[in-house]
Amino acid sequence: MEVTESITPTDKTWTARILTLFPEMFPGPLGQSLAGKALEKGIWRLETMQIRDFATDKHRTVDDTPFGGGAGMVMRPDVVDAALAAATQDGLKPAIYLTPRGRLLKQDLVQELAAGPGVVLLCGRYEGLDERVIEARGLLEVSLGDFVLSGGEPAALALIDACVRLLPGVMGAQATLDEESFETGLLEYPHYTRPAEWKDKKVPEVLISGHHERIQSWRQRQSEETTKLRRPDLWDAYLKRGSEKGR
Ligand code: ADE
């Protein structure tokens, strides 16, 4: 198992354990910026396991043609099961399989995962994974969205990034504030900085008024209007929650 070096991780350190055919893809962007600094500080731990190491034949085969015919290759259940057995033997869970067939990743699941001990992430390649190992291991199937990536690795990077920024000590007070604004279920209001006039465009007057309450209510209105326009699904949920609170 490759462990990306970090300072004094303890047994309690939040751990991302990744099963992949491409361990070189990690830490990738997670080695930079906020997540990278937190990794260096030992706030979280990244481990990769090469699925191919669990193949048993001399060619180290991890996939085979699909029963019933069709295009592409399917990852073998026996090989993936052996990799998962090794990855979960210390009790780390949940074990997640990244797939467009999975439950859509939302902030509530991110919060749940960040609050736990970590994640075991299985990254698929080829056309998919034999269904039997998903059932046998009770894998939680998670999707990043309604699009198809060429493999689970970029999805794993995104999921880990979303979790790591919520870990204590990674972002400081800012994270809490951000999450609170997400909690409202609205999209963010637009942001502006200097110069106050740029390409004949002025920053909204209210923002330079210094009037805190007017700024707050302008931002709230902007959030509501943007959400209504761009994400009617979120807007409906927001209204519904509001009316339930009022009861
Ligand atoms: N693997 C391939 N496409 C994916 C997606 N949309 N989400 C998660 N994992 C994937």
Side-chain angles (χ1 to χ4, degrees), residues 118-136:
V119 281
V120 174
L121 298 175
L122 173 61
C123 301
R125 284 269 145 181
Y126 315 109
E127 293 311 297
L129 174 61
D130 189 293
E131 189 69 19
R132 291 167 296 178
V133 70
I134 300 174
E135 291 167 12

Side-chain angles (χ1 to χ4, degrees), residues 24-236:
E24 322 76 50
M25 287 193 190
F26 300 90
L30 296 173
Q32 305 289 319
S33 188
L34 219 76
K37 289 204 186 86
L39 186 58
E40 273 175 28
K41 280 197 216 160
I43 293 177
W44 67 290
R45 188 179 158 93
L46 176 64
E47 300 169 358
T48 56
M49 297 173 77
Q50 170 56 267
I51 297 169
R52 202 172 291 285
D53 290 346
F54 297 87
T56 50
D57 63 322
K58 75 168 190 282
H59 300 295
R60 306 219 300 157
T61 311
V62 294
D63 61 330
D64 211 328
T65 53
F67 279 120
M73 300 291 271
V74 178
M75 290 176 90
R76 289 175 57 114
D78 52 349
V79 176
V80 171
D81 183 64
L84 281 165
T88 57
Q89 67 177 352
D90 66 354
L92 184 63
K93 59 179 183 183
I96 292 175
Y97 172 47
L98 293 153
T99 164
R101 295 180 65 201
R103 159 181 171 183
L104 274 182
L105 183 63
K106 302 262 177 68
Q107 194 66 21
D108 59 351
L109 179 56
V110 170
Q111 275 164 349
E112 233 176 85
L113 296 174
V119 281
V120 174
L121 298 175
L122 173 61
C123 301
R125 284 269 145 181
Y126 315 109
E127 293 311 297
L129 174 61
D130 189 293
E131 189 69 19
R132 291 167 296 178
V133 70
I134 300 174
E135 291 167 12
R137 288 272 162 198
L139 299 180
L140 175 62
E141 297 178 81
V142 172
S143 170
L144 232 57
D146 294 337
F147 48 85
V148 183
L149 298 165
S150 51
E153 288 81 2
L157 290 167
L159 184 151
I160 296 166
D161 181 277
C163 291
V164 164
R165 63 185 286 283
L166 299 185
L167 299 177
V170 175
M171 291 219 346
Q174 188 56 41
T176 341
L177 294 176
D178 280 354
E179 293 328 303
E180 276 171 10
S181 75
F182 200 96
E183 291 273 292
T184 66
L186 295 175
L187 299 177
E188 277 219 56
Y189 52 80
H191 302 277
Y192 299 89
T193 186
R194 275 177 283 278
E197 187 173 338
W198 178 72
K199 292 198 173 183
D200 289 336
K201 287 173 189 287
K202 288 201 170 94
V203 162
E205 198 64 39
V206 59
L207 298 181
I208 39 187
S209 69
H211 198 298
H212 186 65
E213 274 168 32
R214 278 182 52 213
I215 293 172
Q216 287 284 77
S217 68
W218 181 86
R219 285 178 168 166
Q220 175 69 20
R221 203 158 5 93
Q222 290 288 321
S223 276
E224 292 180 0
E225 291 305 318
T226 308
T227 307
K228 234 184 269 184
L229 204 65
R230 296 187 184 180
R231 293 290 302 274
D233 58 326
L234 290 183
W235 179 246
D236 287 346

